[in-house]
Amino acid sequence: MSDGDMIIGLAKVTEAAAIRSARLIGRGNKNEADGAAVDGMNDAFASMPIRGTVVIGEGELDEAPMLYIGQKVGKWESNMPEMDIAVDPVDGTTLIAKGLSHGIAVVAMGTKDSLLHAPDMYMQKIAVGKGAKGAIDIEKSPIENMISAAKALGKDVRELTVLLQDRERHSYIIEAARKIGAKVKVFGEGDVEAILTCGIESLDVDIFMGTGGAPEGVIAAAGIKCLGGDMQCKLKPHTIEEINRCSKMGIKDIDKVFTLDDLAKGDEIYFSASGITKCEFLDGVVFTKNQVVTHTVVMSLKDESVRFIKTIRNNNASSR
């Protein structure tokens, strides 16, 4: 399978999820919107010439009927590559239910054993774009990381933009930024998209900090790696059950710092995201009388490419 086939195939997967979910924008039911996206994504995977295994998905087999952890996706013929699959059919389900912006459908993919099998719990994250690669250390304070990133970017720290989720648990990061005069930008939901903005220089986001979902952290890591950026993470289990879950998934040291290469190993990493509603760097799905329009970003680390794809389909074929 050529790299181009892999890229187009993955784009079709997130486009299918985005279209199905977009039909439920603003209808108040986040679970229905997520379920529709899962259906679309699952159907699209069936035609991909891979032997794929879901390593990050909708939950365990007893929690999800489709795209569950361990599910086999793709055609699964003997000559096809064996791949790890990490999915988030809707990153921002509440946003879709309320008709708000920043809802996306996302998939990360890599060769077998390349993606961290992250348990569903909180994860501390820090990420930067290519210009500050190597300048972050999650074990250091927010101020130290802000100063280091600014120096790497050749900026005065007062020109630095720090992005974080608008949650009380991040007040210490805001206080640190205010103390040294850095700019703060907050978002409500969807930290995959948020992390990726660090890797797109025109969006004027320099560093991401905060704690959010671990599965989303792995998916975002695949994207930021394709963009040439950097990321570090630490799991934050809050219960004995979560600590045991880490052990079950092969993570013995719960204090381990996961580097970008721990999160997404090797150079055959792929990432695709399609806008459901309008995002920072993607438009949402648009329905007209006869057509449906999707906007997707698809990345390949192997060929160092980032492609923005606008696709127009006949409306009667839009859910396929």
Side-chain angles (χ1 to χ4, degrees), residues 103-178:
I104 59 174
V106 291
V107 171
M109 184 169 70
T111 50
K112 180 177 171 58
D113 297 326
S114 62
L115 300 181
L116 178 70
H117 298 197
D120 190 5
M121 64 181 62
Y122 275 118
M123 173 183 269
Q124 183 186 355
K125 311 167 192 176
I126 183 169
V128 291
K130 186 175 183 178
K133 185 176 178 65
I136 54 174
D137 184 344
I138 202 167
E139 301 275 51
K140 293 185 177 179
S141 70
I143 286 179
E144 288 175 298
N145 277 297
M146 292 175 201
I147 292 172
S148 180
K151 183 178 179 180
L153 293 165
K155 291 186 173 185
D156 186 290
V157 74
R158 291 170 296 181
E159 299 173 311
L160 194 78
T161 299
V162 182
L163 180 64
L164 51 89
Q165 192 173 21
D166 189 11
R167 297 290 188 271
E168 180 62 31
R169 63 179 178 267
H170 297 146
S171 59
Y172 75 101
I173 301 173
I174 295 175
E175 290 170 6
R178 299 285 187 244

Side-chain angles (χ1 to χ4, degrees), residues 163-216:
L163 180 64
L164 51 89
Q165 192 173 21
D166 189 11
R167 297 290 188 271
E168 180 62 31
R169 63 179 178 267
H170 297 146
S171 59
Y172 75 101
I173 301 173
I174 295 175
E175 290 170 6
R178 299 285 187 244
K179 185 174 182 179
I180 61 173
K183 296 178 286 185
V184 172
K185 183 177 180 181
V186 300
F187 66 96
E189 287 192 33
D191 64 357
V192 174
E193 181 206 4
I195 289 169
L196 292 182
T197 61
C198 296
I200 302 174
E201 292 182 5
S202 61
L203 297 178
D204 192 32
V205 173
D206 299 307
I207 186 168
F208 172 98
M209 294 183 182
T211 302
E216 292 85 355

Side-chain angles (χ1 to χ4, degrees), residues 17-25 27 33 96 275-277 285-287:
I19 291 169
R20 298 275 186 101
S21 183
R23 297 189 184 282
L24 296 165
I25 291 171
R27 299 185 186 276
I96 303 307
I276 305 172
T277 54
V285 177
V286 176
F287 295 103

